[in-house]
Amino acid sequence: MTQIPSPESAPTEPLVTVGVVTAAVTAVLALLTAFGLPVSDDQQTAILGLVAVVAPLVVMAVGRSRVWSPATVARLMERRR
C-alpha cells in the first residue's frame, strides 16, 4: 500500500503522481460545477483531456529537477574527493 508523503518528507519525495493531479482537477471542476459554474459535459471532457496531456509533462519537469540518477551522484562524489 502506497502512503501519501507528509510535508516533512517533501524534499525526499518530490514527485506527485499524475493521478493526484488529475483527481484534484476533477474534484475542483465538480465543485465549481456544483456551485453554478456553467460548464457543459463537452467542456468538462476537454478540460480533463487537457489535464491528461499536461499533467504528465508537469510532473516530469518537477521530478526531473529534483531527482538525480545514481551515476550522476557517483560522478559528483568523485569530483568532491
Side-chain angles (χ1 to χ4, degrees), residues 28-39 44:
V28 169
L29 191 58
L31 185 65
L32 292 174
T33 303
F35 279 98
L37 182 69
V39 179
Q44 288 182 21

Side-chain angles (χ1 to χ4, degrees), residues 28-53:
V28 169
L29 191 58
L31 185 65
L32 292 174
T33 303
F35 279 98
L37 182 69
V39 179
S40 70
D41 287 342
D42 289 339
Q43 290 171 326
Q44 288 182 21
T45 301
I47 292 168
L48 293 176
L50 179 65
V51 169
V53 171

Side-chain angles (χ1 to χ4, degrees), residues 7 13 23 25 35 40 42 44 47 56 63-65 69 80:
E13 296 290 340
V25 170
F35 279 98
S40 70
D42 289 339
Q44 288 182 21
I47 292 168
R64 186 69 184 122
S65 69
S69 73
R80 258 182 132 176

